[in-house]
Amino acid sequence: MSDRPVSPLGTFDSVQRALDATEMLAAPTADALKNWTASDSAEAALFVDTDPEKADTAVFCETYGVPLEASANCVIVAAKRGGETTLAACVALAHTRIDVNRAVRKHLGARKASFAPTETAVEETGMEYGGVTPLGLPPEWPLLIDEEAARAPYVLVGSGRRRGKLILPGGALVRLPGAEAVPGLAG
């Protein structure tokens, strides 16, 4: 019998404990994983090595046999109120859409909310576009998790890089710093 981890979803040639693959993660993601106070969640996280050319959600899910209902997207939102801009991250399952104009804007108490420009998301997170993950975001940012993602048995999220993804229990998402489950965040 092997101690090699097995992915609970999809078909991957390379699966390992994320804590054993920190060199494959973006630096902020690796640091967050190593220092996560929810150590059982960090221990449960898996890293799957994947083709960076197939990182976009639809192509990725088709290539690796991951249902959209198990893949979660992390997007960066810029919320504005009174001349101040607050950056926040939102996580929702890939078969849904984040309601930026109502749910996010209202939850953040903003006058206006929109997806942050790509350059801003990359610069502020220290992660690659197409690989942004909720693990390793700036600690002062709100991290809004759609309740459906938080209830999922497992979710696949970015690794901070286009190459590779992380798989973790959905409930672990709300154990990340600054995270809270938000009803109706996506639909």
Side-chain angles (χ1 to χ4, degrees), residues 59-121:
V59 172
F60 181 92
C61 287
E62 184 178 325
T63 301
Y64 296 102
V66 175
L68 287 172
E69 297 81 9
S71 179
N73 291 323
C74 180
V75 297
I76 308 305
V77 174
K80 298 177 183 178
R81 181 181 181 101
E84 295 287 319
T85 299
T86 299
L87 294 176
C90 300
V91 177
L93 297 177
H95 73 288
T96 65
R97 295 180 74 102
I98 296 170
D99 183 358
V100 175
N101 292 320
R102 280 185 237 127
V104 174
R105 183 184 57 75
K106 182 179 176 184
H107 189 81
L108 296 175
R111 182 183 52 75
K112 181 181 177 186
S114 59
F115 294 108
T118 301
E119 303 77 33
T120 301

Side-chain angles (χ1 to χ4, degrees), residues 28-55:
T29 307
D31 290 343
L33 189 64
K34 289 186 247 182
N35 297 305
W36 198 355
T37 57
S39 60
D40 58 327
S41 294
E43 289 288 333
L46 299 175
F47 173 78
V48 292
D49 192 11
T50 58
D51 183 346
E53 296 299 317
K54 297 181 178 178

